[in-house]
Amino acid sequence: DTEVTQTPKHLVMGMTNKKSLKCEQHMGHRAMYWYKQKAKKPPELMFVYSYEKLSINESVPSRFSPECPNSSLLNLHLHALQPEDSALYLCASSLWTGESSPLHFGNGTRLTVT
Amino acid sequence: GDSVTQMEGPVTLSEEAFLTINCTYTATGYPSLFWYVQYPGEGLQLLLKATKADDKGSNKGFEATYRKETTSFHLEKGSVQVSDSAVYFCALTGGSEKLVFGKGTKLTVNP
């Protein structure tokens, strides 16, 4: 079982909907990440939070809005998405953002935008 | 910038065959190196890691050695099982602290 829990597992939304993806970890990790993964591709980094502050935003469109309410929770708010945003969205956490600290991934939310 | 190059897949093997997945990297300084595995319908799991030259990471029968002289981190397993069928990603973190992935190699093991 993964120690990073993501909900929902699957999400179908229209282009005018607003929805949120949720991620939770209780490993005491202080860094949390959002990745987007298209089929047969490696994950692409979207956002990094370090000690609950946004430290990296990889030029992600504003229709994706991250939020880190506390050290255990990470949300991704979605609004006015496009069909090409359909993908697997992965949350990950690590002890810190140092180079030797491996990431622990959740099982992802499979998002379909219609 | 930092980059990782993996052998192109897919790789198809029979059970108990020997596995090698090649991985080479380009990075400034001394990166940490990782292998992640993604089983169907799941997220990525850390398989093994090495943080300095000549370190050997190992887990579940898989091994990889950090070779600075050849900038490589090849994944090996002596006898694969059907349950090893998955996509394997080589990755590094360097000075930017971002995890840089290779393109992934899909492994299918047939009984």
Side-chain angles (χ1 to χ4, degrees):
Chain A
D1 287 339
T2 181
E3 295 170 330
V4 177
T5 304
Q6 291 188 243
T7 55
K9 287 185 167 46
H10 301 275
L11 179 62
V12 179
M13 61 185 290
M15 289 189 285
T16 58
N17 292 158
K18 286 185 180 181
K19 296 285 185 183
S20 296
L21 308 185
K22 296 187 183 301
C23 175
E24 189 168 1
Q25 59 87 14
H26 294 288
M27 295 179 282
H29 289 177
R30 303 315 300 266
M32 296 187 78
Y33 309 76
W34 280 115
Y35 282 84
K36 173 182 177 180
Q37 186 179 25
K38 301 284 270 186
K40 301 185 180 181
K41 298 288 187 184
E44 299 172 22
L45 182 64
M46 300 175 71
F47 303 103
V48 180
Y49 275 83
S50 178
Y51 290 87
E52 299 155 53
K53 294 193 186 310
L54 184 64
S55 61
I56 296 177
N57 176 341
E58 289 288 283
S59 302
V60 178
S62 60
R63 57 185 184 270
F64 295 91
S65 175
E67 178 196 20
C68 189
N70 61 54
S71 59
S72 300
L73 294 174
L74 185 66
N75 299 322
L76 186 63
H77 303 298
L78 314 173
H79 173 55
L81 294 193
Q82 304 297 309
E84 59 265 28
D85 296 322
S86 298
L88 180 67
Y89 287 85
L90 293 165
C91 175
S93 68
S94 62
L95 272 173
W96 62 84
T97 56
E99 67 175 58
S100 64
S101 181
L103 270 61
H104 297 249
F105 285 85
N107 282 333
T109 294
R110 177 77 59 188
L111 174 68
T112 302
V113 181
T114 60
Chain B
D2 297 347
S3 66
V4 174
T5 302
Q6 282 181 247
M7 64 185 287
E8 294 287 329
V11 174
T12 303
L13 296 173
S14 297
E15 208 164 23
E16 300 184 4
F18 185 85
L19 169 70
T20 299
I21 301 178
N22 290 337
C23 172
T24 57
Y25 67 89
T26 302
T28 54
Y30 302 95
S32 292
L33 302 174
F34 306 88
W35 277 100
Y36 284 86
V37 58
Q38 187 171 30
Y39 298 102
E42 297 185 9
L44 281 71
Q45 298 177 25
L46 177 68
L47 183 58
L48 52 84
K49 72 171 188 175
T51 57
K52 61 183 188 297
D54 300 324
D55 268 1
K56 178 185 281 188
S58 60
N59 186 25
K60 299 181 181 179
F62 290 90
E63 294 183 339
T65 300
Y66 189 144
R67 300 284 188 203
K68 190 171 185 303
E69 63 277 12
T70 54
T71 61
S72 65
F73 193 55
H74 304 321
L75 182 68
E76 296 182 336
K77 186 175 185 182
S79 176
V80 293
Q81 305 300 312
V82 172
S83 56
D84 294 326
S85 298
V87 179
Y88 292 80
F89 292 97
C90 186
L92 67 81
T93 51
S96 71
E97 298 184 344
K98 296 179 189 177
L99 190 60
V100 177
F101 288 99
K103 291 186 176 180
T105 303
K106 183 176 181 180
L107 170 67
T108 301
V109 180
N110 294 319

